[in-house]
Amino acid sequence: MNPVIISASQIVKKFNGLTAAVDGVSFSIEKGKCFGFLGPNGAGKTTLMRMIYCFSPRSSGTMTVFGRDPLREPRSIKQRIGVAPQEDSLDPDLTVIQNLEMYARYFDIPKTVVQQRAERLLDFFQLKEKVRSKIDKLSGGMKRRLIIARALINEPELLVLDEPTTGLDPQARHAIWAKLEELKSQGVTLVLTTHYMEEAARLCDELVIMDLGKIIEKGSPAELVERHQVKNLEEVFLKLTGKDLRE
Amino acid sequence: MRLGESPLGRRVFKVWLRDLIVWSKYWHGSLVGSLGEPVLYFLGIGYGLGSFIPAIEGIPYIQYLAPALIASSVMNSASFETTFSSFTRMEIQKTYQSIAATPVSMEEVIAGEILWAATKACLTGTVMFIAVAFLGFIHSPWAFAAIPVVMMTALLFASIGMTVTSYAPDYDFFTYYFTLFLEPMFLFSGTFFPLSSMPPLLQTFAWFLPLTPSVYVVRSLFQGHVGFHLLGPLLGTIVLTLFFFFFAIRRMVKRLVV
Ligand SMILES: Nc1ncnc2c1ncn2[C@@H]1O[C@H](COP(=O)(O)OP(=O)(O)OP(=O)(O)O)[C@@H](O)[C@H]1O
Ligand SMILES: [Mg+2]
């Protein structure tokens, strides 16, 4: 068995002491795997991701990332994580290359290293022609690719992707999937939230389905289809949550 | 709640650097923006209206006004940066959230923003200082001691501005802050006329406005009036600055890290 990268037990997150957005969630994620969190809008996926990448403090429960507690050692954990948040959070005051360079500074990466890495990443994500473009001149798909490229500037051992392909056309989505598969083959652990069953089926080794802050099912995509005796993951999801995803 | 690691450290300067890099692309426009108003006041009120005004406290009106305008222009520039500009970065651009996903803490993001705003305001102040020197209005070497006081003023108003931002639901909130607080203060802090021309009760009240001590100290230094009378206002400004600096950070972290 691979070493465990994230282990979480009975995680609860309440905003203003009100109802729990994440309500007693436990899971553990192994090194080198792609772990998916599926769930309808408001299920608590983003809230959970933010606790993993040490942005939000949890209300209760225990969690370790790389064996450390996000509440105690956020810096050393964040140093080893790449985060591609759900919302477009590229720095619109900077160009494409400056976005990567500035981000690298936050990680204390030496300048000479950054140049090589940035070039390689822009190449990898087919953004080479846009090096000096301003962010608002990029298409949605390019922005998404740049967000992922930015998340990789510190060569993270763990990449957290909150809905990496939402709002993209099928080509752009497939392009990103191919890149993520390549990263996985390089040994990067992926944690991913998604609304697309096709995405989950293609990328995830293991996944959980969340609804209303709770995990209601877990397993590999194939296991889930088998267990529920349906044709595909989408039907598992609909059966469990009773909701259509792309509403 | 953070345990273990110290939330404020050297990474503050990475955030500061980010703002500097962005500013260096648009600095001309930005400088014109923050210098325009004080220069207009200087010409219109100082020279224009001032020529009808007899000497105040023994000096020509324009020389009376100049140091106060340096202090208040720094106040305006710092305030603008940590309100309208910071709010945009926080709410619209999500810059704070994305920086806080790196080893930089949210505390450092906010502190870096405040320091940047203070720096930017000091640039405005420096340009004005040089202009005033060229016009021959500096009569005492003590005027150079006004520079750190102006820096402190910049930091103070950057911190107060960030505190206001921590409560702001939208941009309108800043309009209230500027028109109901900063602009009256600009008029009644001994900028344009001596406090002594106001009724005693108002004078006492004016001393509680955060701009008043700065204007007083800067003007005294310009005229070489140095003495223990500067100690109280200086100390007051320092204490207020430290308070608002840390209070703003605490408030913003509370707002953003949920
Ligand atoms: N800052 C906040 N303050 C109060 N409530 C919040 C906050 N952030 C999220 N919530 C609530 O927590 C619940 C979970 O939200 P979350 O964003 O984690 O869902 P999600 O699964 O990511 O949804 P989506 O698929 O739409 O992105 C929602 O009910 C949301 O309203
Ligand atoms: Mg979400």
Side-chain angles (χ1 to χ4, degrees), chain B residues 194-245:
Chain B
L195 292 179
S196 58
S197 59
M198 297 198 294
L201 196 68
L202 274 182
Q203 284 186 41
T204 314
F205 174 70
W207 272 106
F208 285 95
L209 299 173
L211 183 61
T212 308
S214 293
V215 166
Y216 179 78
V217 175
V218 172
R219 180 178 283 141
S220 301
L221 289 170
F222 262 73
Q223 288 162 25
H225 296 165
V226 180
F228 285 116
H229 64 106
L230 299 183
L231 219 56
L234 265 180
L235 215 65
T237 304
I238 292 171
V239 170
L240 211 58
T241 304
L242 285 175
F243 170 77
F244 275 108
F245 182 73

Side-chain angles (χ1 to χ4, degrees), chain A residues 46 86 162-163:
Chain A
T46 297
Q86 182 172 1
D162 197 355
E163 298 192 21

Side-chain angles (χ1 to χ4, degrees), chain A residues 90-200:
Chain A
L90 292 164
D91 199 325
D93 295 325
L94 302 172
T95 62
V96 168
I97 183 76
Q98 282 179 319
N99 259 277
L100 296 181
E101 289 169 350
M102 201 59 235
Y103 226 62
R105 281 202 191 89
Y106 301 138
F107 286 94
D108 288 321
I109 303 168
K111 243 198 158 108
T112 46
V113 180
V114 174
Q115 265 172 5
Q116 294 166 3
R117 268 189 209 170
E119 202 170 308
R120 216 182 52 230
L121 284 169
L122 291 178
D123 205 22
F124 187 74
F125 285 101
Q126 284 137 29
L127 290 163
K128 252 194 162 153
E129 284 82 61
K130 299 288 171 184
V131 181
R132 316 234 162 261
S133 298
K134 291 204 65 176
I135 298 305
D136 57 12
K137 298 285 184 297
L138 301 183
S139 72
M142 289 173 181
K143 281 187 190 168
R144 272 278 128 206
R145 296 205 302 266
L146 182 57
I147 287 177
I148 301 174
R150 186 180 70 170
L152 291 169
I153 198 76
N154 57 324
E155 299 196 328
E157 298 156 61
L158 168 66
L159 184 60
V160 178
L161 301 145
D162 197 355
E163 298 192 21
T165 63
T166 298
L168 300 186
D169 67 35
Q171 263 100 340
R173 192 175 302 146
H174 280 268
I176 287 185
W177 290 346
K179 296 300 171 197
L180 293 178
E181 279 172 336
E182 219 171 311
L183 287 170
K184 210 174 103 181
S185 71
Q186 292 165 18
V188 180
T189 309
L190 303 180
V191 173
L192 157 106
T193 76
T194 184
H195 290 191
Y196 299 110
M197 294 309 123
E198 197 189 341
E199 182 163 295

